[in-house]
């Protein structure tokens, strides 16, 4: 298994509170991603990073921010959680090598906003 | 805009059957396609990555094919087992940086 660790694995939080999810990798891959998975919508990209301090928005970025201060860590922050952000969040990594771009996923964080 | 479709959405088969899962994509300008497996409540496990220069990729009882010109990929599972029960997802890169667009998945149930 690729070395990807997400924390926490489960979290319940109240509407309006800030929440930070962490993704840690030991593969030294340059690219990192945050996806959310929802019934009826499948997996959708929130934000991604193509290097330290280099990040950009994905398809569903509203209400989320990210930071990457080290190669191995990619943080996803919900500044003020809403019920619509109740979801399962997955971190993923991949190499920038075009010949070997296999993506690997973490085990997910189940977030419930009440 | 790239769209990925998987058919069927769900499949129930008896153990031992050979089966085919389908994935289609609208933009054929891809450089690879990846198949994943997801067990309930778990993360995604990479099964096979097919480069655009390849037509097939095999891993054990799994064989994936890719036809870019027709915008299709198939995942063939030989001699299915109850342990194969899971959701199978295909994904293609879109928009650079290996960002993935996923299909909705095929939920497979293999019964003894």
């Amino acid at each position: 298994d690729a070395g990807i660790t997400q924390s926490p694995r489960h979290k319940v939080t109240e509407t309006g509170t800030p929440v930070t999810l962490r993704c840690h990798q030991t593969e030294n891959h340059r690219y990192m991603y945050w996806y959310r998975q929802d019934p009826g919508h499948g997996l959708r990209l929130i934000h991604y990073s193509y290097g330290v301090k280099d990040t950009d928005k994905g398809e569903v970025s509203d209400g989320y921010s990210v930071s990457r201060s080290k190669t191995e860590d990619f943080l996803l922050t919900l500044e003020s959680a809403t019920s619509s952000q109740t979801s399962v969040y997955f971190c993923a990594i991949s190499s920038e090598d075009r010949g070997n771009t296999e993506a690997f996923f973490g085990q997910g964080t189940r977030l419930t906003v009440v | 805009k790239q769209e990925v479709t998987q058919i069927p959405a769900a499949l129930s088969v008896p153990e031992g059957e050979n089966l085919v899962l389908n994935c289609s994509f609208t933009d054929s300008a891809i450089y690879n396609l990846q198949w994943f497996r997801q067990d309930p409540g778990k993360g995604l496990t990479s099964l096979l990555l097919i480069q655009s220069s390849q037509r097939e990729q095999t891993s054990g009882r799994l064989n994936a094919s890719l036809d870019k010109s027709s915008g299709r990929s198939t995942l063939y599972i030989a001699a299915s087992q109850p342990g194969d029960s899971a959701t199978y997802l295909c994904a293609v890169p879109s928009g650079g940086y290996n960002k993935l667009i996923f299909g909705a998945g095929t939920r497979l149930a293999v019964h003894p």
Side-chain angles (χ1 to χ4, degrees):
Chain A
D1 289 345
I4 308 172
T5 304
Q6 291 186 230
S7 59
R9 293 292 313 282
H10 302 272
K11 187 171 181 66
V12 180
T13 192
E14 293 186 351
T15 299
T17 60
V19 177
T20 296
L21 309 183
R22 179 177 183 248
C23 178
H24 178 80
Q25 62 146 329
T26 58
E27 306 297 319
N28 202 37
H29 280 346
R30 184 177 165 195
Y31 297 163
M32 298 186 74
Y33 317 83
W34 279 106
Y35 292 86
R36 60 178 289 175
Q37 186 175 36
D38 304 286
H41 292 279
L43 279 145
R44 294 176 293 174
L45 181 66
I46 305 171
H47 278 279
Y48 64 101
S49 170
Y50 46 95
V52 173
K53 298 186 179 179
D54 291 323
T55 65
D56 206 348
K57 298 177 180 180
E59 179 187 0
V60 290
S61 60
D62 286 349
Y64 301 95
S65 63
V66 290
S67 66
R68 190 169 179 199
S69 59
K70 298 185 289 185
T71 297
E72 57 267 34
D73 291 327
F74 192 30
L75 304 181
L76 176 70
T77 297
L78 290 66
E79 300 291 347
S80 177
T82 67
S83 59
S84 65
Q85 293 175 314
T86 293
S87 185
V88 181
Y89 292 85
F90 289 102
C91 174
I93 63 174
S94 78
S95 168
E96 70 271 29
D97 179 2
R98 265 291 182 100
N100 183 19
T101 58
E102 189 171 7
F104 298 97
F105 280 71
Q107 289 300 299
T109 295
R110 184 173 297 275
L111 176 68
T112 302
V113 183
V114 298
Chain B
K1 178 185 175 185
Q2 178 74 270
E3 293 183 0
V4 181
T5 304
Q6 291 188 245
I7 295 173
L11 188 61
S12 180
V13 300
E15 181 176 7
E17 275 202 7
N18 300 324
L19 50 98
V20 175
L21 308 182
N22 297 290
C23 172
S24 62
F25 44 93
T26 56
D27 184 351
S28 62
I30 61 170
Y31 51 87
N32 65 42
L33 182 144
Q34 195 166 354
W35 282 94
F36 296 88
R37 167 184 173 140
Q38 185 176 29
D39 294 289
K42 304 294 186 183
L44 280 69
T45 299
S46 178
L47 296 174
L48 291 163
L49 175 74
I50 314 177
Q51 300 291 349
S52 60
S53 57
Q54 301 173 306
R55 294 190 66 85
E56 287 190 2
Q57 187 74 270
T58 298
S59 176
R61 292 182 295 107
L62 304 179
N63 176 276
S65 66
L66 175 62
D67 185 343
K68 280 185 56 178
S69 60
S70 67
R72 294 179 182 178
S73 176
T74 60
L75 180 66
Y76 175 83
I77 303 177
S80 58
Q81 303 171 358
D84 295 329
S85 299
T87 296
Y88 291 81
L89 298 152
C90 67
V92 297
S94 179
Y97 299 108
N98 300 335
K99 296 175 291 182
L100 294 178
I101 302 294
F102 283 85
T106 293
R107 190 171 65 255
L108 173 65
V110 181
H111 49 87

